[in-house]
Amino acid sequence: MSTLLEVSGVTVSFDGFRAINNLSFQIGEPELRAVIGPNGAGKTTFMDIITGKTKPDEGRVIWGEKSVSLLDMSESAIARAGVGRKFQKPTVFEDQTVRENLAMALKNPRGPFDVLWYKKTAQGAEKIEEIAEEIGLTDELKRRAGDLSHGQKQWLEIGMLLAQDPRLLLIDEPAAGMTPAEREHTTDLIKRAAETCAVVVIEHDMEFVRRLDCKVTVLHEGAVLAEGTLDHVTQNQDVIDVYLGR
Amino acid sequence: MERSFIMRNPSVLWFLLALAIFTLGVTILSEAFGIGGLSTSFIKTLGKTLCLCLIAVAMDVVWGYCGILSLGHFAFFGLGGYAIGMWLMYARTEEIVVNSLNEGAIPPTQQEIIDGIGTQIFGVVGSSEFPLIWAFSHSLGLQLLMVVLVPGLLALVFGWLAFRSRVTGVYLSILTQAMTLALALYLFQNDSGLRGNNGLSGLQNIPGLDHLGQATISMWFFWASAIALGAGYVLFAWVTSGKMGSVIRGIRDDESRVRFLGYHVESYKLFVFTLTAVVAGIAGALYYPQAGIINPAEIAPIASIYLAVWVAIGGRGRLYGAVIGAAFVSLLSSWFTGGGAPSIPLGFYTIQWTDWWLVLLGVSFVAVTLFFPKGIGGLFDYLVRKDP
Ligand SMILES: Nc1ncnc2c1ncn2[C@@H]1O[C@H](COP(=O)(O)OP(=O)(O)OP(=O)(O)O)[C@@H](O)[C@H]1O
Ligand SMILES: [Mg+2]
């Protein structure tokens, strides 16, 4: 397992408030990592930095074998480099069908003229079927994404990530608002994805994290409070104070 | 591939069929080529309406599909008109000047001809010199190139600056209004090189075709406008279908999500903005020879706002909606403002439609926005019932 992403000494302030404070973080490929922390700990902001949505005041974000800095790249270039992101609230293109949503995410040349002259391929269709099967939406391919249930939208969004063929998946609260059965399916999806690429999952729900059965990073006030197995971090006195203190 | 695109979009075929039938009907009723039920001036109105439909389709693509509420596309329309108008005026004036100079004893020199044309064209703004921007006006080919290049380049530069700085929403709309206003104000000046508020006139006289008469020429332009509308419709139907359509509708609905999928959103916006501007320029180049005159008032900010109103009333996000909106509202508008509609006496007050038409249009716009967001085009959804 080699290091895929290295975040070091990153600091972000919003109007003087330090949302991220000298944060360092590493993940290898493949690896599954859960990030937990109380509300406002800076978990989403952390993902904003990696994906180029927020530029940090200080620090470095280094990517891949060639150690390129993600800080100099645009959001779309970072995505093309292999970082896929699922947002906290499900964002799929509601007006378009499930198939169209997945097709848009498929890994293909992304320039306007490539897309204009794009021709559907058999491999593309196959890949879409494969992913639909994986996320359990095979029968919904022709439906408008807006007509899906909340859980199905979350899965579609995960499916769109898979279609991108990413090397790093950033998943923000995938299980929020899901029924227990749906949660289980989601865990399976994430674990399978983590067999081939690096996956970071933000989650509040401890049960969900326990089922992921992976290394856990605890964020608090924009910095790493503890890191290790779930049992290890939950026995950490600082973590107990933070969680009980809320 | 082309076949499957048409197959997947049967509405394109229906539209082309309707357009062909309409064109045939008008031809049969024309003075020049048929039984003569329609006056030449009405043919011109219909031809101009087709050009307005074309720019409305372009507007629908940039706004209805890509979510960029441009309130400046009439600037591109006007620039197309000016570009073709320069050749029309130059070549026509040249004919007149050469004819009158030839009546003298000695044949005129080239310089005398040029000076004569300059005096004729720029006399109204107290000049006789050709400004630099008229450098290509002698050549139809080059000016036709300008019809495409000038609006295209302006859109490319403006769009690049605006999209790169991530100007969106109402701020972008205001910026496009500022663009068309600035251009109009510039053209209003006498030293703009385009005859200030006089604009370019006599554009209905096509150089070398005087012998044909307006009845015939009007039909030629009508056909050209119909072909341009048909071709533009197919082009935009193609652009908005398939994966490209998927991406630009995605940009409309959630642009940052598209960005995180790895698409460079700004390039897509620039592509759509520029392509629609070029088509708007072509529409303008066909419109103004039928109108006969173009002046800076044509590209006043309000013109582009009307364009958005047509598309909204017709139903944005569907190309035929834009065509219906532009045709319906602009024809209705000329009926009302041209005194065609009878006034309504209320006893204490008489509603003169020339004054009240704008109020009616405004009220319809608000009503459509509030109660029928799909516009007139939305009625087709009842006709072609799709299974959910
Ligand atoms: N764009 C912004 N401008 C100002 N403050 C911000 C901005 N984004 C985040 N913050 C602040 O930064 C802090 C961290 O926010 P963040 O969304 O990263 O938390 P989180 O850990 O994802 O919380 P939650 O569990 O509620 O999703 C919060 O106090 C938030 O108010
Ligand atoms: Mg969050």
Side-chain angles (χ1 to χ4, degrees):
Chain A
M1 189 174 83
S2 59
T3 307
L4 176 65
L5 177 82
E6 185 182 348
V7 175
S8 52
V10 166
T11 297
V12 181
S13 314
F14 297 113
D15 313 314
F17 166 71
R18 286 202 169 185
I20 297 287
N21 192 359
N22 195 20
L23 175 84
S24 296
F25 177 93
Q26 275 194 6
I27 189 162
E29 184 182 30
E31 187 187 343
L32 177 57
R33 180 77 62 89
V35 173
I36 60 173
N39 289 106
K43 304 182 297 295
T44 300
T45 311
F46 164 66
M47 287 195 173
D48 287 346
I49 291 167
I50 299 173
T51 52
K53 193 177 178 197
T54 302
K55 294 287 171 205
D57 309 323
E58 274 172 55
R60 295 183 306 154
V61 181
I62 305 295
W63 168 260
E65 294 76 22
K66 295 196 189 122
S67 297
V68 291
S69 167
L70 292 187
L71 298 181
D72 309 326
M73 292 160 67
S74 68
E75 293 105 309
S76 56
I78 293 174
R80 284 194 299 274
V83 180
R85 174 170 187 184
K86 190 204 148 315
F87 288 83
Q88 195 159 344
K89 79 177 223 290
T91 41
V92 295
F93 300 103
E94 309 229 328
D95 241 13
Q96 307 196 30
T97 63
V98 171
R99 183 187 293 280
E100 282 172 314
N101 270 276
L102 289 172
M104 218 191 297
L106 274 188
K107 186 171 187 168
N108 276 313
R110 294 281 203 247
F113 294 101
D114 301 317
V115 167
L116 195 58
W117 300 113
Y118 174 77
K119 286 188 187 132
K120 284 185 184 153
T121 60
Q123 293 108 292
E126 220 167 87
K127 176 104 194 185
I128 289 177
E129 297 288 344
E130 220 171 84
I131 291 170
E133 168 104 51
E134 174 100 20
I135 57 178
L137 294 180
T138 305
D139 297 333
E140 324 291 334
L141 275 173
K142 285 190 182 144
R143 273 179 77 189
R144 257 181 91 246
D147 297 336
L148 299 177
S149 73
H150 177 81
Q152 288 174 320
K153 282 184 197 168
Q154 301 265 35
W155 290 332
L156 174 56
E157 203 178 351
I158 294 177
M160 288 164 74
L161 291 188
L162 298 177
Q164 277 173 268
D165 244 331
R167 297 183 64 187
L168 171 65
L169 271 167
L170 303 172
I171 306 181
D172 204 347
E173 303 208 16
M178 280 190 174
T179 64
E182 288 174 333
R183 277 161 191 256
E184 205 158 317
H185 182 194
T186 310
T187 328
D188 293 344
L189 266 179
I190 291 173
K191 283 177 120 172
R192 254 198 314 263
E195 284 165 14
T196 50
C197 59
V199 181
V200 179
V201 183
I202 292 178
E203 193 45 71
H204 275 299
D205 182 61
M206 284 300 171
E207 262 324 294
F208 189 86
V209 175
R210 186 169 299 282
R211 263 201 306 265
L212 288 178
D213 186 26
C214 65
K215 190 170 167 186
V216 176
T217 299
V218 186
L219 279 195
H220 177 55
E221 292 181 348
V224 176
L225 190 65
E227 209 163 58
T229 63
L230 186 61
D231 290 328
H232 172 80
V233 299
T234 45
Q235 276 155 28
N236 181 308
Q237 193 54 45
D238 293 336
V239 176
I240 294 171
D241 288 347
V242 165
Y243 267 88
L244 294 182
R246 317 191 257 168
Chain B
M1 175 197 169
E2 202 61 27
R3 211 182 88 217
S4 71
F5 146 71
I6 294 283
M7 300 291 254
R8 276 184 287 120
N9 297 275
S11 70
V12 175
L13 280 184
W14 285 115
F15 175 78
L16 292 179
L17 185 67
L19 184 64
I21 291 172
F22 172 71
T23 310
L24 193 68
V26 170
T27 306
I28 291 171
L29 291 176
S30 70
E31 275 171 33
F33 298 95
I35 54 178
L38 298 174
S39 71
T40 297
S41 78
F42 190 64
I43 300 269
K44 285 186 179 180
T45 302
L46 292 179
K48 285 189 293 181
T49 304
L50 292 177
C51 299
L52 297 178
C53 292
L54 180 55
I55 188 181
V57 172
M59 177 69 188
D60 194 19
V61 172
V62 76
W63 179 34
Y65 283 86
C66 200
I68 305 167
L69 176 52
S70 164
L71 294 177
H73 261 57
F74 246 87
F76 306 125
F77 188 83
L79 285 174
Y82 266 104
I84 197 65
M86 287 160 78
W87 175 76
L88 286 169
M89 240 189 135
Y90 182 95
R92 167 83 180 159
T93 314
E94 186 181 30
E95 273 181 7
I96 295 168
V97 168
V98 168
N99 278 341
S100 75
L101 286 179
N102 278 341
E103 283 163 15
I106 17 173
T109 66
Q110 192 59 29
Q111 191 56 42
E112 277 174 328
I113 295 177
I114 302 270
D115 288 345
I117 302 170
T119 315
Q120 280 286 323
I121 294 182
F122 300 107
V124 286
V125 288
S127 164
S128 63
E129 295 280 303
F130 270 99
L132 200 60
I133 50 171
W134 285 72
F136 303 133
S137 57
H138 59 278
S139 155
L140 173 60
L142 287 175
Q143 284 303 133
L144 283 177
L145 206 60
M146 293 300 141
V147 165
V148 174
L149 281 186
V150 174
L153 279 178
L154 175 63
L156 199 65
V157 172
F158 177 90
W160 186 73
L161 291 171
F163 299 139
R164 195 188 54 136
S165 336
R166 302 251 171 114
V167 182
T168 53
V170 68
Y171 299 99
L172 188 89
S173 305
I174 292 170
L175 215 57
T176 54
Q177 281 269 282
M179 174 196 72
T180 190
L181 178 65
L183 191 65
L185 291 179
Y186 173 73
L187 290 175
F188 264 122
Q189 293 182 322
N190 279 345
D191 54 8
S192 68
L194 288 164
R195 306 195 346 142
N197 62 354
N198 306 288
L200 308 180
S201 53
L203 309 184
Q204 73 280 21
N205 303 311
I206 312 302
L209 296 182
D210 270 348
H211 56 282
L212 286 177
Q214 286 295 314
T216 305
I217 290 177
S218 67
M219 278 313 293
W220 286 19
F221 272 97
F222 176 81
W223 289 329
S225 306
I227 290 169
L229 176 58
Y233 195 95
V234 171
L235 171 74
F236 284 128
W238 176 62
V239 168
T240 56
S241 72
K243 195 157 176 182
M244 189 67 173
S246 212
V247 174
I248 61 179
R249 278 178 293 143
I251 290 173
R252 172 192 70 193
D253 294 336
D254 190 342
E255 102 174 37
S256 77
R257 186 73 182 90
V258 178
R259 216 170 259 137
F260 287 117
L261 280 178
Y263 292 94
H264 193 251
V265 168
E266 289 67 39
S267 310
Y268 283 82
K269 287 186 175 178
L270 195 57
F271 169 76
V272 171
F273 193 73
T274 307
L275 181 68
T276 54
V278 166
V279 172
I282 294 171
L286 284 165
Y287 180 95
Y288 288 103
Q290 302 181 70
I293 180 163
I294 179 170
N295 62 46
E298 297 285 317
I299 60 175
I302 188 72
S304 297
I305 294 180
Y306 282 144
L307 179 60
V309 171
W310 299 342
V311 173
I313 289 182
R316 69 197 147 108
R318 54 180 92 215
L319 297 180
Y320 57 86
V323 172
I324 293 169
F328 182 67
V329 182
S330 73
L331 284 176
L332 213 59
S333 165
S334 43
W335 187 60
F336 275 114
T337 54
S343 326
I344 303 178
L346 293 178
F348 58 95
Y349 184 81
T350 305
I351 293 182
Q352 302 277 2
W353 284 113
T354 40
D355 301 331
W356 279 86
W357 156 242
L358 274 187
V359 178
L360 180 68
L361 182 62
V363 170
S364 328
F365 176 56
V366 173
V368 165
T369 316
L370 290 181
F371 305 115
F372 312 99
K374 288 182 173 177
I376 303 173
L379 297 175
F380 283 81
D381 289 351
Y382 295 102
L383 229 69
V384 193
R385 212 170 260 285
K386 273 189 204 149
D387 293 324

